[in-house]
Amino acid sequence: MTTIKNITVVGTGVIGNGWIARFLAQGYDVIAFDPAEGAEERTRNAVQLAWTSLEERGLAEGADQNRLTFAQTIEEAVSHADFIQENVPEREELKKSVLEQIDEHSKQEAIIASSTSGIIPSTLQSGMQNPERFIVAHPFNPVYLLPLVEVVGGKNTSSATIKQVCDFFESAAMKPLVIHREIDGHVADRLMEALWREALHLVNDGVATTEEIDTAIIYGAGLRWAQMGPFLTFHLAGGEQGMRHMLEQFGPALKLPWTKLEAPELTDELKERVIEGCESYAGDESVAELEAKRNEFLVKLLDLVEDYWPASKSLAKE
């Protein structure tokens, strides 16, 4: 089994740049490839902006922004890589085409991972010559700060690949969560999508504004979920008997038609209501200013979370 030393990132949008910043902060050499004009300048600017937060979290020995290089072709980018993270736009045929090129030009023992948020791995690996070394590694924005990464193998992914990927991510200060059953949208995005759909209904029906909904999450569920998540939160809601009493007392309410799982039609009126609500809530603060404030908050929050859930508590269970 090859030790992962050389990393390549293909596709340098928001997610790709987040991966690059994280890997650099962990002391790796990173080669990037993106054919878009101005990609290298945008990536270096993104890494520089992320670096302050990464310094506050603590850099690994040897961490250096200058350990990033850009390749001119995909062949050059992947030929010597031990680990390749693909992040091209979420279009199935485009992803499959790029992954097949990576498969063709990379070392046979190199691991190939995709950041796809919704496409199942068996679909993506179907045209590869070496599908056993392919895996979905789905992160969360900002990748350089948020530690969760969903690890999903396809029908032809080897167990050795899953084990090696999890060990690698743990060494890169991440929390790999192995998802043992392929499903569209994996796990975390499906949960967020359900909340997002309900939020759109509440705005569309005139029940609450975007600011009111954000406030409800920030000062209610969000504070608790950052520590325990929904199941342990409800376990505590059941008192001394925990979840047993919780389900007995509140379980019947699940049959009440409180929520709407189907998404509302995204009409022009609803889109404008959401856009105007977000812009009004943000006020005079730019997206860059909000990102800086978010990062500062996440650094402090992660420190607090780790006080209660130590980094040694692994999610990568076989």
Side-chain angles (χ1 to χ4, degrees):
M1 187 176 294
T2 303
T3 301
I4 294 175
K5 294 181 178 179
N6 301 310
I7 296 174
T8 291
V9 175
V10 176
T12 59
V14 172
I15 299 300
N17 288 338
W19 278 118
I20 290 169
R22 175 175 283 276
F23 291 142
L24 291 172
Q26 292 300 315
Y28 288 100
D29 291 311
V30 180
I31 295 177
F33 173 73
D34 193 317
E37 186 176 351
E40 180 172 358
E41 181 180 2
R42 286 191 295 273
T43 292
R44 294 193 184 278
N45 288 339
V47 170
Q48 187 174 14
L49 288 172
W51 210 252
T52 299
S53 298
L54 289 165
E55 287 176 326
E56 292 177 12
R57 287 288 292 159
L59 299 175
E61 183 178 354
D64 192 331
Q65 297 180 57
N66 293 319
R67 295 181 72 170
L68 169 66
T69 58
F70 258 75
Q72 297 302 308
T73 65
I74 198 166
E75 294 90 337
E76 177 190 349
V78 305
S79 59
H80 299 293
D82 303 311
F83 181 87
I84 302 144
Q85 186 76 36
E86 168 273 315
N87 318 275
V88 302
E90 198 78 350
R91 299 198 297 273
E92 184 178 313
E93 290 308 313
L94 173 62
K95 277 191 176 292
K96 289 184 67 174
S97 173
V98 170
L99 288 167
E100 286 164 19
Q101 291 178 61
I102 293 172
D103 182 40
E104 178 183 357
H105 297 291
S106 59
K107 299 185 297 184
Q108 189 167 350
E109 66 272 21
I111 290 175
I112 303 173
S114 173
S115 294
T116 180
S117 59
I119 306 172
I120 63 174
S122 290
T123 297
L124 293 176
Q125 70 184 178
S126 61
M128 298 175 68
Q129 296 177 4
N130 301 287
E132 70 282 350
R133 45 95 169 246
F134 171 79
I135 201 161
V136 163
H138 173 235
F140 296 84
N141 185 45
V143 183
Y144 52 89
L145 288 180
L146 294 185
L148 183 65
V149 53
E150 294 178 314
V151 176
V152 196
K155 293 178 181 177
N156 295 311
T157 303
S158 71
S159 58
T161 295
I162 295 174
K163 176 65 166 62
Q164 187 178 10
V165 164
C166 288
D167 289 345
F168 167 61
F169 282 139
E170 287 184 345
S171 74
M174 300 191 82
K175 287 279 188 180
L177 174 61
V178 177
I179 298 174
H180 297 281
R181 178 180 172 184
E182 293 181 272
I183 186 172
D184 293 334
H186 319 314
V187 171
D189 273 359
R190 290 177 74 96
L191 295 170
M192 290 188 288
E193 180 76 8
L195 181 61
W196 172 236
R197 290 180 183 184
E198 189 65 21
L200 288 175
H201 274 295
L202 292 171
V203 172
N204 193 52
D205 295 345
V207 175
T209 66
T210 58
E211 181 175 355
E212 289 166 346
I213 290 170
D214 281 358
T215 298
I217 296 299
I218 292 168
Y219 296 106
L223 287 172
R224 297 179 297 181
W225 288 349
Q227 183 189 8
M228 292 188 173
F231 281 104
L232 271 184
T233 294
F234 283 135
H235 181 59
L236 269 62
E240 291 184 1
Q241 296 182 20
M243 183 61 81
R244 184 177 302 278
H245 178 66
M246 164 66 191
L247 291 176
E248 290 174 354
Q249 183 172 354
F250 298 103
L254 294 174
K255 294 184 178 180
L256 299 176
W258 283 4
T259 57
K260 303 177 181 179
L261 291 180
E262 290 291 332
E265 183 181 353
L266 200 57
T267 62
D268 290 341
E269 180 183 359
L270 176 55
K271 286 192 285 188
E272 286 305 311
R273 194 177 297 178
V274 171
I275 293 167
E276 290 173 6
C278 291
E279 291 176 346
S280 174
Y281 191 15
D284 295 330
E285 292 185 286
S286 67
V287 170
E289 289 170 332
L290 290 170
E291 286 179 342
K293 184 179 290 186
R294 175 203 64 190
N295 289 356
E296 182 181 351
F297 172 81
L298 285 176
V299 167
K300 294 178 180 178
L301 182 61
L302 283 167
D303 289 339
L304 183 61
V305 169
E306 288 171 2
D307 284 343
Y308 289 86
W309 297 107
S312 59
K313 193 177 182 67
S314 175
L315 297 177
K317 297 179 181 178
E318 293 298 328

